[in-house]
């Protein structure tokens, strides 16, 4: 990471972010958790003769931090051993599959069951690949708490095959507002329409941003002339405009990228080839409900509305550290340490992305400081809420006013802290990246002079030959 750069600004940011994330995610699976013993996933069992051996585990693994193997939790640093008990099922054949009667998940056409760490090498590769690529844990026993549970019919099959107790309720909306889709048609209709809208919004954002020197990383130039006087003449309104536009661009870019997963795995591949990974209920929305901000303030922004892609890694490392110190996770010092570690890790990930960008940036004074400050913003709001509650003010205040206060606090907080992050993005040239291959607006003449329909060009992949074999590889 110290010596790796790319002239493409988005690729440069990804180099640092993904390098740091691979280290953190590896530590999460290897150090902070005992994945082979504690983790299990939902998968279809073979519907043929190999389905005779149906294990009935002693586990009750369904949710984030769920019970596994005798009541132990599948959380950080816990050695949860899984005991498999086999029984004969009533079937046309008398043969028992190899591996001591364990379920065989090769054909992926039977009912759903919990799959532990497989003995077969091919199944183990599939199991590990799914674990490494599934950051939110949907379909695993460590699913993050904000996601909705599997549908009731899936839970019924899990209960029938493994004795797993179904979760209460069958809500298609998670605690933080993430929506789960029941059918392939509903998922594809929503994701495809949202992808098209996101694509068009990104095109608009790119055209508008390129007319403002700020998004080129030039901060000492006057704002563009097309802006209304109420925006251009007020530093407060101008900063608000740029922050809102940056938020819109980041949110839309992330959402549009997240739509590609379900469109590919559900729409193009499907469960026939990848089993449970092709089911529509495996892909709930990445972002939660904006209502979380009104109800919980800054904690609701980061823990409810914003995407929770890195949530499990942050929680695992924080819980591991708290457990090593012997602290109670629900105590004040446990919560503070949890927040400090989580936001410090988030800041480190984004700071590494900033560090590997080609132009000069400020990784520590920019992205890292921004995320580090979020800890104290949440703690400050929690402290103020406790004081108001003890004084009896909260109970006498209308709910609508409390929600409005949360909304104002969050956005005033970001007005003063967000420039640490977004200025560094602009300074690093991240908005110079071309997000769409075909631009309708620029094809119609709304962009800069000389810009046309086709926006992607040049050589994106090439083979780089270094002095040593480990210095050679694909250059982006």
């Amino acid at each position: 990471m110290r010596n790796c750069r790319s002239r493409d600004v988005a690729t440069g940011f990804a180099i640092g972010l993904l390098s740091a994330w691979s280290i953190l995610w590896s530590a999460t699976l290897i150090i902070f958790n005992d994945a082979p013993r504690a983790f299990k996933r939902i998968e279809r069992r073979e519907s043929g003769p190999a389905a005779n051996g149906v294990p009935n585990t002693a586990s009750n693994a369904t949710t984030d931090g769920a019970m596994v193997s005798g009541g132990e939790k599948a959380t950080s640093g816990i050695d949860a051993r899984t005991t498999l008990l086999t029984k004969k099922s009533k079937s046309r054949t008398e043969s028992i599959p190899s591996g001591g009667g364990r379920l065989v998940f090769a054909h992926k056409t039977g009912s759903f069951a919990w799959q532990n760490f497989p003995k077969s090498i091919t199944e183990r590769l599939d199991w590990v690949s799914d674990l490494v690529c599934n950051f939110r844990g949907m379909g695993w026993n460590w699913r993050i708490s904000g996601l909705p549970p599997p549908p009731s019919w899936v839970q019924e099959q899990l209960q029938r095959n493994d004795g797993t107790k179904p979760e209460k309720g069958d809500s298609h909306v998670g605690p933080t507002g993430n929506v789960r889709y029941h059918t392939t048609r509903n998922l594809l209709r929503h994701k495809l329409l949202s992808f098209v809208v996101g694509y068009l919004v990104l095109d608009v954002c790119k055209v508008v941003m390129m007319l403002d020197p700020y998004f080129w990383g030039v901060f000492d130039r006057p704002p563009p002339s097309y802006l209304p006087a109420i925006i251009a003449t007020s530093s407060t309104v101008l900063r608000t405009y740029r922050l809102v536009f940056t938020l819109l661009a980041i949110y839309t870019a992330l959402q549009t990228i997240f739509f590609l997963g379900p469109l590919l795995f559900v729409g193009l591949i499907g469960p026939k080839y990848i089993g449970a990974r092709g089911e529509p209920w495996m892909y709930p929305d990445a972002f939660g409900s904006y209502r979380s901000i009104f109800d919980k303030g800054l904690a609701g922004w980061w823990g409810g509305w914003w995407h929770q892609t890195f949530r499990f890694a942050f929680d695992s490392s924080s819980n591991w550290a708290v457990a090593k110190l012997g602290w109670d996770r629900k105590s004040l010092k446990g919560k503070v340490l949890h927040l400090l570690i989580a936001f410090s890790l988030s800041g480190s990930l984004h700071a590494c992305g900033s560090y590997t960008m080609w132009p000069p940036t400020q990784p520590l004074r920019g992205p890292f400081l921004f995320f580090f400050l979020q800890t104290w913003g949440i703690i400050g709001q929690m402290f103020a809420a406790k004081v108001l509650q003890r004084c009896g003010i909260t109970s006498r205040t209308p709910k609508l006013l409390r929600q409005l206060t949360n909304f104002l606090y969050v956005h005033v907080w970001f007005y003063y802290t967000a420039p640490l992050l977004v200025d560094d993005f602009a300074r690093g040239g991240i908005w110079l990246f071309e997000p769409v291959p075909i631009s309708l607006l620029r094809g119609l003449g709304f962009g800069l002079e000389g810009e046309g329909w086709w926006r992607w060009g040049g050589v994106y992949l090439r083979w780089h030959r270094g002095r040593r074999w480990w210095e050679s590889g694909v250059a982006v």
Side-chain angles (χ1 to χ4, degrees), residues 77-123:
I78 296 178
D79 182 12
R81 299 179 178 274
T82 309
T83 303
L84 291 178
L85 305 176
T86 60
K87 64 178 181 181
K88 294 182 179 179
S89 63
K90 297 179 180 180
S91 181
R92 296 181 181 178
T93 62
E94 299 294 334
S95 61
I96 300 295
S98 60
R102 301 187 71 171
L103 286 179
V104 179
F105 294 86
H107 296 163
K108 300 178 173 64
T109 56
S111 59
F112 286 108
W114 285 108
Q115 184 188 29
N116 295 277
F117 189 60
K119 290 183 178 180
S120 166
I121 294 297
T122 55
E123 278 295 315

Side-chain angles (χ1 to χ4, degrees), residues 370-451:
F370 167 75
F371 284 100
F372 183 76
L373 289 176
Q374 304 311 304
T375 301
W376 307 108
I378 294 176
I379 293 175
Q381 189 175 19
M382 291 172 56
F383 178 77
K386 285 290 185 181
V387 172
L388 294 176
Q389 187 176 16
R390 290 181 179 179
C391 295
I393 298 177
T394 302
S395 59
R396 297 194 301 268
T397 305
K399 182 179 180 180
L400 183 60
L401 182 57
R402 298 200 303 269
Q403 291 178 328
L404 180 60
T405 303
N406 283 332
F407 177 84
L408 292 176
Y409 174 83
V410 169
H411 292 84
V412 170
W413 170 264
F414 281 132
Y415 175 84
Y416 289 104
T417 61
L420 294 170
L421 178 67
V422 300
D423 286 358
D424 197 73
F425 280 168
R427 189 180 294 110
I430 201 168
W431 304 120
L432 301 180
F433 170 71
E434 186 57 65
V436 296
I438 299 175
S439 173
L440 298 179
L441 290 179
R442 280 166 283 185
L444 295 173
F446 289 100
L448 299 175
E449 184 178 355
E451 292 184 322

Side-chain angles (χ1 to χ4, degrees), residues 150-172:
S152 58
W153 60 272
V154 175
Q155 297 189 48
E156 290 171 1
Q157 293 182 17
L158 295 175
Q159 184 181 27
R160 183 167 60 250
N161 290 326
D162 298 286
T164 301
K165 294 181 179 179
E167 298 184 44
K168 295 181 179 179
D170 184 27
S171 174
H172 69 286

Side-chain angles (χ1 to χ4, degrees), residues 27-48:
T28 299
L29 301 180
I30 298 173
I31 299 176
F32 305 139
N33 294 280
D34 189 353
R37 291 178 175 176
F39 292 168
K40 57 177 67 176
R41 68 171 181 171
I42 299 175
E43 182 59 283
R44 289 189 180 277
R45 64 189 183 96
E46 188 178 357
S47 59

Side-chain angles (χ1 to χ4, degrees), residues 1 17 19 138 150 202 218 286 289 311 313 347 355-356 398 407 442 452:
M1 189 171 68
L17 179 68
S19 297
M138 190 63 188
L202 282 177
V218 181
S289 172
R311 173 72 177 264
Y355 176 77
T356 54
F407 177 84
R442 280 166 283 185

Side-chain angles (χ1 to χ4, degrees), residues 245-442:
F245 218 89
T246 301
L247 174 62
L248 175 64
I250 295 174
Y251 173 82
T252 306
L254 291 176
Q255 277 282 49
T256 307
I257 292 173
F258 291 148
F259 292 146
L260 294 176
L263 289 175
L264 172 63
F265 296 116
V266 180
L268 295 181
I269 302 178
K272 179 180 179 180
Y273 298 101
I274 55 176
R277 261 36 63 185
E279 297 287 344
W281 52 267
M282 284 288 294
Y283 299 92
D285 288 342
F287 285 77
S289 172
Y290 199 78
R291 185 181 179 86
S292 299
I293 300 171
F294 290 94
D295 295 336
K296 298 183 179 180
L298 191 58
W301 175 289
W302 292 116
W305 177 61
W306 201 248
H307 74 93
Q308 303 296 295
T309 306
F310 306 139
R311 173 72 177 264
F312 185 70
F314 295 161
D315 284 348
S316 294
S317 54
S318 302
N319 293 336
W320 182 84
V322 171
K324 286 295 183 181
L325 293 174
W327 295 356
D328 182 2
R329 286 190 299 169
K330 296 182 179 180
S331 64
L332 178 60
K333 60 182 181 181
K335 291 180 179 179
V336 171
L337 181 61
H338 187 284
L339 288 172
L340 279 172
I341 293 177
F343 280 107
S344 295
L345 288 173
S346 182
S348 298
L349 293 179
H350 291 82
C352 288
S354 173
Y355 176 77
T356 54
M357 295 180 75
W358 191 278
T361 55
Q362 299 176 350
L364 295 180
R365 289 185 293 171
F368 180 83
L369 182 58
F370 167 75
F371 284 100
F372 183 76
L373 289 176
Q374 304 311 304
T375 301
W376 307 108
I378 294 176
I379 293 175
Q381 189 175 19
M382 291 172 56
F383 178 77
K386 285 290 185 181
V387 172
L388 294 176
Q389 187 176 16
R390 290 181 179 179
C391 295
I393 298 177
T394 302
S395 59
R396 297 194 301 268
T397 305
K399 182 179 180 180
L400 183 60
L401 182 57
R402 298 200 303 269
Q403 291 178 328
L404 180 60
T405 303
N406 283 332
F407 177 84
L408 292 176
Y409 174 83
V410 169
H411 292 84
V412 170
W413 170 264
F414 281 132
Y415 175 84
Y416 289 104
T417 61
L420 294 170
L421 178 67
V422 300
D423 286 358
D424 197 73
F425 280 168
R427 189 180 294 110
I430 201 168
W431 304 120
L432 301 180
F433 170 71
E434 186 57 65
V436 296
I438 299 175
S439 173
L440 298 179
L441 290 179
R442 280 166 283 185

